[in-house]
Amino acid sequence: MQLRTPAGLVTPTCFSHHDLLTINEIFCRGDYGAPRDQTGIVVDIGSNIGISALYFLTRNAQAKVYCCEPDPKNIARFKEDLRGLEERYELNCQAVADEGGRIQFGVEPTGRYGGIGVKTGSYITVDWASINDVLDKVLREHRTIDILKMDIEGHKIPVTRAIRREYLTRIRRIYLETIPDTQLHPEFFTQRQYGEICQLTCREASTA
């Protein structure tokens, strides 16, 4: 499929109609809104086959994306869809949760609906990194994170709540594919719901 972006045409591969849904959500519907002039450093947790990373990387020529994806099949597809952009992303082949360790990870043919605690009938054992370890590594190199996007089945709320205060103050936007029943870190972020996406914007950025 050809997609017109601020960086020109890109041609990701759709491996099933489920990938068309992902492309529509990200490139057409704008689930993870990324202003061209405010998208530099992105952390993409649950990168799937790389469609979201491709979206962030094509907002401008300077963006860099730190990706986490544990499903080996998705990783192979991710590398194919982001061929030629290797210098602008880093891929961590781990799941992410509120703490580190090893855990059972549900997988299924499309690669879109698996995750920790998801009962797919087929499972692999994966390493999982602590969200704070992931953020610490990025923030040692960069002053701020412009966007933290998390699409991790069943663990978005606990992982968001586990982020340390000193890291929250250095994140401008957080996107979660969930509908929370409470405010998340209201002292730092304004919160709005865009369909199934919970959008947290740091209070300083929302009033700028």
Side-chain angles (χ1 to χ4, degrees), residues 77-119:
R77 294 173 175 177
F78 176 105
K79 291 179 179 178
E80 179 175 337
D81 275 339
L82 270 71
R83 185 178 293 116
L85 296 170
E86 290 83 0
E87 292 185 359
R88 295 177 54 209
Y89 75 80
E90 290 187 14
L91 177 59
N92 179 353
C93 301
Q94 289 182 301
V96 176
D98 48 348
E99 57 185 64
R102 287 179 64 79
I103 199 168
Q104 192 177 72
F105 187 94
V107 295
E108 45 75 47
T110 73
R112 176 178 158 103
Y113 306 105
I116 297 171
V118 180
K119 296 181 180 180

Side-chain angles (χ1 to χ4, degrees), residues 30-202:
D31 280 4
Y32 307 129
R36 299 183 192 181
D37 60 346
Q38 298 176 26
T39 302
I41 303 302
V42 179
V43 177
D44 183 351
I45 296 175
S47 295
N48 194 253
I49 66 167
I51 300 302
S52 53
L54 183 63
Y55 170 77
F56 295 129
L57 288 168
T58 55
R59 297 311 90 191
N60 58 61
Q62 292 76 43
K64 181 165 185 177
V65 184
Y66 294 84
C67 306
C68 295
E69 172 57 50
D71 186 336
K73 180 164 54 181
N74 282 348
I75 290 168
R77 294 173 175 177
F78 176 105
K79 291 179 179 178
E80 179 175 337
D81 275 339
L82 270 71
R83 185 178 293 116
L85 296 170
E86 290 83 0
E87 292 185 359
R88 295 177 54 209
Y89 75 80
E90 290 187 14
L91 177 59
N92 179 353
C93 301
Q94 289 182 301
V96 176
D98 48 348
E99 57 185 64
R102 287 179 64 79
I103 199 168
Q104 192 177 72
F105 187 94
V107 295
E108 45 75 47
T110 73
R112 176 178 158 103
Y113 306 105
I116 297 171
V118 180
K119 296 181 180 180
T120 60
S122 181
Y123 305 94
I124 59 176
T125 300
V126 300
D127 293 323
W128 55 330
S130 158
I131 179 62
N132 288 304
D133 288 344
V134 171
L135 296 176
D136 180 74
K137 180 180 178 182
V138 176
L139 289 170
R140 285 178 182 271
E141 295 188 35
H142 307 282
R143 187 174 65 85
T144 59
I145 292 170
D146 294 302
I147 295 172
L148 168 60
K149 166 256 173 181
M150 290 193 284
D151 183 4
I152 44 180
E153 298 298 329
H155 284 258
K156 306 173 188 79
I157 302 299
V159 171
T160 303
R161 287 177 171 156
I163 299 174
R164 293 175 188 159
R165 181 185 182 93
E166 61 265 33
Y167 299 151
L168 290 169
T169 61
R170 298 169 66 183
I171 301 172
R172 295 180 60 83
R173 291 181 176 83
I174 301 177
Y175 293 130
L176 310 168
E177 189 179 341
T178 190
I179 303 176
D181 57 5
T182 186
Q183 294 291 303
L184 299 171
H185 302 298
E187 66 273 35
F188 298 110
F189 298 95
T190 59
Q191 181 170 324
R192 68 182 290 263
Q193 198 69 35
Y194 179 64
E196 296 183 352
I197 305 300
C198 176
Q199 302 178 338
L200 305 179
T201 304
C202 74

